[in-house]
Amino acid sequence: MLSRTLLCMLIACAIAGCRSAQDEQSIEIFVIVDGRETRLSSTRDLTVDQVLAGARIELGPRDRISHPLVSPAVDGMTITIKRVAEKEVCERQEIAFQRRLLPKEGLPAGKREPGRAGVTGIREVCYRVMLEDEAEVERIQLGLPTTVREPEAEIVYIGASNAIQPVPIEGRISYINHENVWTITANAANKRQLTWRHRLDGLVFHQREDGKRLIFTSETNETDDFFNELWFVDAEGHLEPKRMTPTDVLFAAWRPGAGNEFAYSTGERSLGASGWKALNNLWLMVFDLESGRTLAIEEVLPESGGGVYGWWGKNFAWSPRGDKMAWVQADAFGLVDFENKRLTPLMQHAVFHTAGDWVWFSPLSWSIDGQLLGAVAHGAPLADEPAESSPVFDVVVASADGRFTASLRFSAGMWAAPAFSPNTAPTGAEANRGYLAWLQAREPHNSMNSDYDLMLADRDGSNQRRLFPPPGEAGIRKRTLGAQARDFVWSPDGRFIALIYEGNLWLLEVETRASVQVTFDGESSNPVWTR
């Protein structure tokens, strides 16, 4: 009995041992990670975390796993791991350019001419990109796109209207259009182009008193040594334009009464926004009218720092007889003392802080007898603002002998640019007679950006009245901040004013206020008018 019982126990133990051995047999687990499937075997109970650790599979902080790490591993389990990564990607995209049709003087009405090829712009857009097993699953834009290169419009020129009233004029009007020289004689419809291959920068554009010669500055890409060149051209078109010796010229003007002499001032190339740094010098040059060769040169003012905002430079203006010269800078104007080679101030005022890369100062105008000088002066503050921030700009007149200065119009505006007319007295009259014209800001305390009206008064400032534009029309607006060129000029006989209005040249008869549009492409500037 005992033997039978022992035998049964041995058999039971054997069976139990077999079951225990079976229970300790390995289990199979499959892990899919990094693009491949791995088969793992184990003989003991494990968690998912232990399985991965035993297989030396590391999880990244963003990785996604199909089972919780604390889950028990079971036979036949498939554990899937997705590698998750994040990166920043920046892409460049094209910005299509537009096509612009622009009117142009000199082309027959309606005819088209290629102007400039368009340039595709580029913008950069950055994204945060989520990847699962290196495949993109999500993309989020970071901020706004950044423009790397602005598109440049394709320009096609189309002939502007030539329907101009043939208004008779005295003398010669010249102006800049599409960076080249144009001129008008006899009547307003008689327009003629004098240069074709230049790029006038507008710093110098001056016509000799007899109307036969012009000097101008033109940009150049041929060298980095200077930013412009000085040229002269025969206004009657008999000679090709000739380049002169001076370069980096900021001012130049013919001397009245001296057919081949002019004054000029220079600067030097600079990395600043203006592209130049003024030297605040002044020279007189005599040159050959056929070749442009220098015959004589004299230094009037040596190089200097030029005072407040001297880097912008000065402007100058000859008196009608050429015996005196006025100067103007950011905080004053006065006369050049040729004998002692220095500047004598007539009036000083606070500089105007433009908060930009340009400097404001006024154009100058001499009365026909050379006794008075008209300008704009920066006025006193209206309230508690700093003097350099005052919005007040007054039309003032100073006597050339320094005896007095007078304000003729309070708060006319920074672009007022007063201009004395030629003598309008009848031939043989004993005394000169004339007018003073200026631009009056419609918003005097916001005159930098204001529209303006052309005003007229007697020479002493009395009898003020509005000339142009007609009531209800948009005003005259300054197109280039910092530019010293006038937007209007008197005719030699004082009957007309030529002005730039909305980029076009207009003629205005002073007595009747009748106006005639002369150009139609919106690209005219820098009018000059002499006999």
Side-chain angles (χ1 to χ4, degrees):
M1 186 67 179
L2 178 60
S3 298
R4 185 176 181 182
T5 302
L6 178 61
L7 179 61
C8 290
M9 291 178 62
L10 290 173
I11 294 171
C13 288
I15 294 172
C18 291
R19 288 177 179 172
S20 176
Q22 289 177 353
D23 290 341
E24 291 179 0
Q25 287 181 356
S26 64
I27 61 173
E28 290 187 343
I29 300 171
F30 300 91
V31 179
I32 300 175
V33 65
D34 298 329
R36 65 181 183 273
E37 182 180 274
T38 303
R39 180 179 175 182
L40 303 176
S41 297
S42 178
T43 59
R44 57 190 178 91
D45 294 336
L46 297 174
T47 64
V48 170
D49 188 28
Q50 290 170 327
V51 170
L52 298 180
R56 297 183 179 179
I57 298 174
E58 296 183 0
L59 293 177
R62 298 177 181 272
D63 290 350
R64 296 178 184 173
I65 187 167
S66 58
H67 297 77
L69 293 175
V70 296
S71 298
V74 297
D75 188 35
M77 174 183 282
T78 299
I79 303 172
T80 302
I81 299 172
K82 292 194 173 186
R83 299 297 194 187
V84 179
E86 179 181 289
K87 65 179 181 179
E88 186 175 308
V89 175
C90 293
E91 298 177 348
R92 292 197 168 187
Q93 304 170 348
E94 289 188 349
I95 306 173
F97 60 80
Q98 296 180 335
R99 188 185 194 199
R100 297 177 61 194
L101 290 176
L102 297 180
K104 185 177 181 181
E105 292 285 309
L107 285 178
K111 183 177 180 180
R112 298 190 179 191
E113 174 185 279
R116 183 185 69 192
V119 177
T120 301
I122 298 175
R123 63 170 164 244
E124 187 173 77
V125 186
C126 292
Y127 302 91
R128 180 181 291 113
V129 177
M130 300 295 294
L131 302 172
E132 289 186 0
D133 291 338
E134 299 184 354
E136 182 177 326
V137 295
E138 184 179 41
R139 174 174 291 222
I140 301 173
Q141 182 173 318
L142 301 174
L144 297 175
T146 301
T147 300
V148 177
R149 183 179 69 202
E150 293 285 354
E152 296 182 13
E154 176 190 10
I155 292 178
V156 177
Y157 293 119
I158 185 169
S161 170
N162 293 317
I164 304 171
Q165 297 181 36
V167 178
I169 64 169
E170 179 181 337
R172 180 185 300 275
I173 307 171
S174 296
Y175 58 99
I176 298 175
N177 185 275
H178 281 280
E179 300 181 328
N180 277 285
V181 183
W182 284 70
T183 192
I184 300 172
T185 55
N187 70 74
N190 188 26
K191 298 182 292 185
R192 187 160 54 93
Q193 189 170 353
L194 295 181
T195 66
W196 283 264
R197 297 178 299 277
H198 289 82
R199 292 187 299 131
L200 275 69
D201 60 14
L203 290 173
V204 173
F205 191 72
H206 195 254
Q207 187 165 269
R208 204 170 66 179
E209 58 187 335
D210 62 2
K212 294 182 178 180
R213 295 285 193 278
L214 282 129
I215 51 177
F216 61 88
T217 45
S218 181
E219 297 178 5
T220 177
N221 290 329
E222 296 179 359
T223 177
D224 291 331
D225 295 334
F226 44 85
F227 56 82
N228 71 12
E229 302 167 332
L230 187 66
W231 292 72
F232 80 98
V233 63
D234 171 22
E236 297 180 351
H238 300 316
L239 299 173
E240 287 292 316
K242 300 286 185 181
R243 182 185 163 185
M244 305 173 71
T245 304
T247 59
D248 295 326
V249 181
L250 299 178
F251 159 83
W254 299 95
R255 185 171 192 170
N260 62 342
E261 181 179 0
F262 67 95
Y264 70 96
S265 181
T266 64
E268 60 186 8
R269 181 180 286 276
S270 169
L271 296 178
S274 66
W276 74 74
K277 176 186 176 184
L279 298 177
N280 295 288
N281 52 13
L282 186 65
W283 297 84
L284 294 178
M285 176 180 283
V286 179
F287 73 105
D288 182 77
L289 290 174
E290 298 296 323
S291 65
R293 182 171 57 89
T294 301
L295 302 178
I297 188 169
E298 175 188 352
E299 183 183 60
V300 177
L301 296 175
E303 294 181 11
S304 70
V308 181
Y309 294 150
W311 60 271
W312 185 260
K314 296 175 174 60
N315 206 6
F316 300 88
W318 285 110
S319 64
R321 295 188 184 127
D323 57 338
K324 295 188 286 288
M325 173 173 271
W327 59 269
V328 61
Q329 62 185 34
D331 63 346
F333 66 88
L335 298 181
V336 176
D337 184 342
F338 284 90
E339 182 177 353
N340 297 303
K341 299 183 182 297
R342 64 183 184 183
L343 303 176
T344 302
L346 291 176
M347 184 174 186
Q348 295 177 303
H349 52 78
V351 299
F352 176 66
H353 180 57
T354 66
D357 55 7
W358 56 280
V359 174
W360 174 87
F361 51 72
S362 171
L364 299 171
S365 176
W366 285 92
S367 61
I368 190 63
D369 55 12
Q371 296 180 7
L372 300 175
L373 195 62
V376 177
H378 187 205
L382 287 177
D384 297 330
E385 74 272 18
E388 63 269 18
S389 299
S390 170
V392 177
F393 295 87
D394 302 330
V395 171
V396 298
V397 171
S399 63
D401 57 13
R403 293 184 180 181
F404 72 89
T405 59
S407 176
L408 296 188
R409 181 64 185 245
F410 172 74
S411 202
M414 65 191 308
W415 309 122
F420 285 104
S421 74
N423 182 22
T424 59
T427 303
E430 294 183 1
N432 290 325
R433 190 175 71 189
Y435 302 107
L436 180 68
W438 71 92
L439 297 177
Q440 175 64 48
R442 294 182 179 180
E443 300 177 72
H445 296 161
N446 182 33
S447 64
M448 182 189 301
N449 303 305
S450 174
D451 283 3
Y452 283 73
D453 294 307
L454 180 63
M455 305 293 292
L456 186 71
D458 294 341
R459 180 170 146 166
D460 60 1
S462 62
N463 194 23
Q464 297 182 12
R465 62 267 197 199
R466 180 174 175 272
L467 286 183
F468 185 90
E473 298 293 331
I476 301 165
R477 184 175 284 268
K478 191 71 172 178
R479 305 184 83 194
T480 305
L481 300 182
Q484 299 305 314
R486 289 186 173 277
D487 289 325
F488 71 95
V489 291
W490 285 93
S491 65
D493 58 6
R495 292 182 54 224
F496 290 91
I497 290 176
L499 71 151
I500 302 299
Y501 179 56
E502 296 181 339
N504 291 307
L505 181 68
W506 289 67
L507 295 183
L508 173 68
E509 190 172 14
V510 174
E511 292 299 325
T512 65
R513 304 187 189 184
S515 58
V516 174
Q517 186 173 349
V518 179
T519 67
F520 298 85
D521 60 3
E523 292 294 329
S524 298
S525 65
N526 298 61
V528 291
W529 198 342
T530 61
R531 294 190 182 277

